[in-house]
């Protein structure tokens, strides 16, 4: 059986077009309402945008430098960090709903035995899985010994996809 080069090219391009989708596919956790994805599929022709680690912004300008109040608790630090990420994404013509992967690094607050995961979730759920922004990312959360500034309890990296 002889196949011409043009017939082969047509068959390959049609098969490739059927195999690729231009849409991001998000797979929720089965039987769970926890606000992260189990997996996400990004089409081969999508552009991925990697944001560097983003850290908390000063929450209380009046608070003394080096005080816990200056950046706030884990919930406040998560909120200001995500607000900063949102602004960075907007400057790149992206939105929080375009985030497909998140890595969060948390430090245990002074005097605590472990990271404040509940505080992190309080800030996180203001930006993901809301009525206004229902999209969820895949996500990992790590407890670390410290960050570049000893007052920071949170640092977050994200990967977004350009639709």
């Amino acid at each position: 059986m002889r196949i011409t080069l043009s017939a082969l090219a047509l068959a390959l391009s049609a098969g490739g077009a059927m195999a690729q989708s231009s849409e991001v596919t998000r797979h929720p956790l089965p039987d769970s309402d926890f606000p992260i994805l189990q997996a996400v599929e990004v089409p081969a022709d999508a552009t991925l945008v990697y944001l560097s680690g983003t850290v908390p912004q000063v929450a209380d300008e009046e608070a003394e430098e080096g005080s816990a109040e200056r950046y706030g608790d884990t919930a406040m630090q998560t909120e200001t960090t995500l607000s900063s990420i949102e602004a960075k994404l907007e400057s790149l013509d992206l939105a929080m709903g375009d985030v497909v992967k998140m890595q969060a690094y948390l430090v245990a607050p002074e005097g605590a035995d472990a990271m404040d995961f509940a505080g992190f979730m309080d800030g996180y759920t203001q930006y993901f899985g809301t009525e206004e922004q229902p999209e969820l990312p895949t996500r990992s959360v790590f407890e670390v010994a410290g960050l570049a500034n000893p007052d920071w309890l949170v640092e977050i990296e994200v990967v977004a996809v350009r639709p």
Side-chain angles (χ1 to χ4, degrees):
M1 168 187 229
R2 277 183 64 200
I3 299 176
T4 67
L5 199 50
S6 60
L8 180 60
L10 180 62
L12 288 174
S13 66
M18 287 189 294
Q20 290 183 354
S21 167
S22 63
E23 296 292 319
V24 171
T25 304
R26 296 171 187 262
H27 301 279
L29 294 172
D31 304 318
S32 175
D33 63 354
F34 195 71
I36 64 170
L37 295 176
Q38 174 176 279
V40 64
E41 295 178 49
V42 177
D45 63 345
T47 300
L48 295 177
V49 180
Y50 295 80
L51 256 70
S52 288
T54 302
V55 295
Q57 305 303 299
V58 173
D60 183 354
E61 296 281 346
E62 305 290 317
E64 182 179 328
E65 289 233 13
S67 70
E69 295 79 25
R70 187 155 175 85
Y71 291 94
D73 60 9
T74 300
M76 175 59 69
Q77 290 195 25
T78 301
E79 185 179 333
T80 64
T81 300
L82 290 173
S83 176
S84 183
I85 288 171
E86 184 174 46
K88 289 176 183 181
L89 289 171
E90 286 174 1
S91 77
L92 298 169
D93 295 322
L94 294 164
M96 293 300 257
D98 297 319
V99 173
V100 293
K101 172 71 176 148
M102 175 185 289
Q103 289 184 221
Y105 305 93
L106 305 180
V107 175
E110 191 172 330
D113 292 333
M115 66 181 178
D116 179 9
F117 186 72
F120 169 77
M121 288 301 294
D122 286 346
Y124 171 85
T125 55
Q126 292 181 43
Y127 289 85
F128 294 95
T130 67
E131 191 173 308
E132 301 81 35
Q133 199 297 96
E135 301 296 353
L136 300 172
T138 60
R139 189 189 78 203
S140 300
V141 177
F142 306 93
E143 181 174 5
V144 296
L147 296 168
N149 181 326
D151 297 331
W152 295 337
L153 303 174
V154 176
E155 184 168 345
I156 299 173
E157 298 175 345
V158 299
V159 177
V161 64
R162 188 171 302 283

